[in-house]
Amino acid sequence: MAEAAGAVKRADAPEGVKPRSVRVVLMALMIAMLLAMLDNMIIGTAMPTIVGELGGLEHLSWVVTAYTLATAASTPIWGKLGDMYGRKGSFLTSIVIFLVGSALSGMAQDMGQLIGFRAVQGLGAGGLMVGVMAIIGDLIPPRERGKYQGMMAGVMALAMIGGPLVGGTITDHMGWRWSFYINLPLGAVALAMVTAVLHLPKNDKGAGRIDYLGAALLTVAITSTVLVTTWGGTEYAWGSAEILGLIVVGVLSVAAFLYAETRAAEPVLPLHIFRSRNFTLMSVIGFLTGFAMFGGVLYLPLFQQSVQGASATNSGLLLLPMLLSMMAVSLVAGRITTSSGKYKVFPIAGGALMVAGLYLLATMDTGTTRLVSGIYMAVLGAGLGFLMQITMLVAQNSVEMKDMGVASSSATLFRTLGGSFGVALMGSLFTGRVQDAMTERLGEAGGAATAGSAQLDAASLAKLPEHVREAYQYAVAAGTHSAFLLGAAVAVLGFLAAWFVKEVPLRGAGPAPAGESGESGESAPESAAGRSAEGRQEQPVSG
């Protein structure tokens, strides 16, 4: 018992750091995580007002695309910089860049400036989530990390529910520029708290040569991938020269990147981490989880607004059943993981519930009540709750401490890319099905009514004749059916992948029994990481 208590003490407060300081650091990290997640939620509600003042409607999508591209492209680079030069410095730098981008975005005088400054903001945002996850990985061993999953899920729920409400309130009463300026006081608090109380061991790895070629090729690969999923089926047809050209560029840059990484002294994404079966599986499951989650967040409010007559103002509250379920399940799973050290059951259960939830959502039609749709959302939320933090925890546990940054950034990147693919593919399927259903009900005139966009706002919907409105509601229900059915089919792959996860003991749970880690490549990172963690406890704590 005394030994167990000592392990918990070391987990919650590394040597030289008081428990209270760890709590303050975690509070600062959660603020940084909130900044990264809240931004797009707030900006989305302010976009009509921004376009009304700055103009440039034709470039509207780039306000989001520039931010997303910069975030995705910089994510793995931030992770590697943290591994090479120290996590505290890279994390503080990412916060500063994010705040500078926020301030500049708030001062933008035209759409071109706003797009450029949003890219700067996105560069900083790429380091926020990675920094949070990697620093938590440094401070708290995986065995104890589960108890903090509920906190992270709560921040996510707060961002998704509060973002649209806060964005609307700020835009209406303070002006759209404060949608960006609101980041400054929050970021300043996080910056001050991290600077004052975060103390990590000195980086004994030393600075190596930066893998500029690998970083450039990876940026090209990520950029082309995100542009394909953003533009495909919307800006350009899937078979257009632009999309096919981007696909070719993406494939060639990935091939060149993989070759370059085998020859780099300090690869930006070390390929050896993928030798771990668990890390590779968690990357796949994280990708599929992002696919399902972002698709659900996008199309659930649309269904409830268009078919069930809910107010767009409360779009964040519409997701409450899913988010509360996700937060509660994540908290329970984290506690069980901490107490038992077992986790394999959670990806399996999460995969099964995600498939069930998406399939149930695919059965919704114009007669589905809000209570029934809320129950279906809760099922999906439970599945996501089992998966969201467990995937990161197991991915981090599968690599050595020296690769904690790239492990965190890779897991974040795969989830982001999964969300990008999910929104694109489900969106393309949804739009096509809505137009087909409108044509089916109203003829060619009906299809033409939604040719420009399959999403009509509440005001436009109210102006439609009753028979057209009913046809549109039927079409949206048909579109969401197709989108969620695709999500369920993809989620089956995640469920199947979860069965191959190997239950490697979590660091902090004591040494693995002899012969328990039989897979080549799994036990080595565990033991090496454990030695690194032990060595870290013995090092003097410094800034």
Side-chain angles (χ1 to χ4, degrees):
M1 290 295 290
E3 184 179 350
V8 172
K9 180 180 178 182
R10 289 192 301 272
D12 286 340
E15 188 176 342
V17 182
K18 296 179 180 179
R20 180 176 176 275
S21 297
V22 173
R23 289 195 292 269
V24 174
V25 170
L26 287 174
M27 187 182 303
L29 296 179
M30 292 305 106
I31 292 175
M33 179 184 284
L34 185 63
L35 282 174
M37 302 190 69
L38 198 61
D39 190 74
N40 270 335
M41 296 289 178
I42 291 179
I43 301 308
T45 56
M47 285 311 300
T49 306
I50 293 174
V51 172
E53 181 173 328
L54 299 183
L57 178 62
E58 67 276 14
H59 303 303
L60 176 63
S61 63
W62 272 104
V63 175
V64 176
T65 301
Y67 180 90
T68 304
L69 271 177
T71 301
S74 64
T75 292
I77 298 173
W78 281 114
K80 185 61 179 180
L81 289 176
D83 286 340
M84 291 177 65
Y85 297 103
R87 257 175 269 293
K88 181 176 180 178
S90 63
F91 184 55
L92 291 174
T93 302
S94 69
I95 295 177
V96 170
I97 293 175
F98 181 83
L99 296 181
V100 169
S102 297
L104 292 174
S105 296
M107 294 186 287
Q109 299 301 309
D110 57 50
M111 190 61 77
Q113 289 183 11
L114 180 60
I115 291 170
F117 295 149
R118 283 282 283 167
V120 174
Q121 194 183 18
L123 286 175
L128 292 181
M129 286 295 289
V130 174
V132 169
M133 296 301 178
I135 290 172
I136 288 177
D138 271 349
L139 289 178
I140 306 167
R143 176 66 181 265
E144 303 301 324
R145 209 172 300 156
K147 68 177 68 174
Y148 299 101
Q149 288 181 195
M151 184 187 301
M152 298 180 208
V155 170
M156 182 179 298
L158 179 62
M160 291 183 176
I161 295 172
L165 298 177
V166 172
T169 302
I170 290 175
T171 303
D172 290 341
H173 296 92
M174 302 173 67
W176 66 266
R177 296 182 186 277
W178 278 96
S179 296
F180 296 102
Y181 293 151
I182 192 66
N183 292 329
L184 301 182
L186 287 174
V189 170
L191 201 61
M193 293 170 68
V194 170
T195 301
V197 301
L198 176 60
H199 302 287
L200 296 173
K202 288 183 178 179
N203 180 22
D204 57 0
K205 184 176 181 178
R209 293 182 58 187
I210 297 177
D211 181 17
Y212 292 108
L213 177 60
L217 290 171
L218 183 60
T219 299
V220 172
I222 293 173
T223 300
S224 57
T225 300
V226 172
L227 288 179
V228 166
T229 57
T230 302
W231 287 347
T234 54
E235 296 285 331
Y236 304 100
W238 285 105
S240 66
E242 291 82 358
I243 297 300
L244 294 178
L246 283 170
I247 292 174
V248 171
V249 169
V251 171
L252 292 178
S253 56
V254 167
F257 170 74
L258 294 176
Y259 176 75
E261 295 306 270
T262 62
R263 305 181 67 85
E266 282 288 347
V268 68
L269 182 60
L271 300 183
H272 67 79
I273 62 177
F274 292 97
R275 294 174 188 163
S276 165
R277 183 172 75 186
N278 275 5
F279 182 85
T280 302
L281 287 171
M282 288 302 148
S283 298
V284 172
I285 294 172
F287 179 92
L288 299 173
T289 301
F291 191 107
M293 184 183 73
F294 286 101
V297 168
L298 180 63
Y299 291 106
L300 280 170
L302 178 61
F303 176 86
Q304 293 193 317
Q305 291 169 34
S306 300
V307 179
Q308 297 180 327
S311 168
T313 305
N314 298 321
S315 57
L317 296 176
L318 301 175
L319 298 172
L320 200 56
M322 182 178 81
L323 297 173
L324 288 179
S325 173
M326 182 177 71
M327 184 168 60
V329 169
S330 181
L331 182 62
V332 171
R335 291 289 181 179
I336 294 175
T337 300
T338 297
S339 62
S340 69
K342 304 295 184 181
Y343 55 81
K344 180 173 179 177
V345 66
F346 297 130
I348 294 174
L353 287 171
M354 189 164 68
V355 172
L358 289 166
Y359 177 77
L360 289 172
L361 291 171
T363 65
M364 296 189 302
D365 55 28
T366 55
T368 303
T369 65
R370 291 192 192 181
L371 174 61
V372 171
S373 61
I375 293 172
Y376 294 169
M377 281 191 283
V379 175
L380 176 59
L384 294 174
F386 278 128
L387 291 168
M388 287 297 293
Q389 303 304 327
I390 288 292
T391 52
M392 178 65 73
L393 186 153
V394 177
Q396 290 179 333
N397 190 65
S398 302
V399 301
E400 298 181 33
M401 292 299 296
K402 68 184 181 66
D403 292 323
M404 184 67 71
V406 291
S408 302
S409 63
S410 298
T412 303
L413 176 63
F414 280 111
R415 188 179 299 172
T416 301
L417 292 178
S420 182
F421 272 92
V423 169
L425 298 180
M426 293 171 77
S428 179
L429 192 62
F430 172 84
T431 302
R433 186 68 187 96
V434 167
Q435 293 176 2
D436 289 345
M438 288 292 284
T439 302
E440 176 186 320
R441 285 295 182 96
L442 300 176
E444 294 300 325
T450 54
S453 172
Q455 303 179 31
L456 300 179
D457 57 32
S460 301
L461 194 58
K463 295 176 183 177
L464 295 175
E466 184 176 353
H467 72 287
V468 177
R469 184 167 61 251
E470 290 178 354
Y472 180 74
Q473 290 173 334
Y474 165 80
V476 169
T480 52
H481 167 79
S482 298
F484 286 125
L485 206 57
L486 171 63
V490 170
V492 169
L493 300 177
F495 172 68
L496 295 176
W499 285 94
F500 294 94
V501 172
K502 186 177 180 64
E503 191 133 52
V504 178
L506 295 174
R507 288 194 292 269
E516 185 168 333
S517 186
E519 183 189 10
S520 171
E522 288 291 349
S523 57
E526 179 66 23
S527 58
R531 289 194 299 271
S532 178
E534 290 169 6
R536 180 184 57 187
Q537 299 295 340
E538 296 169 359
Q539 293 175 1
V541 176
S542 63

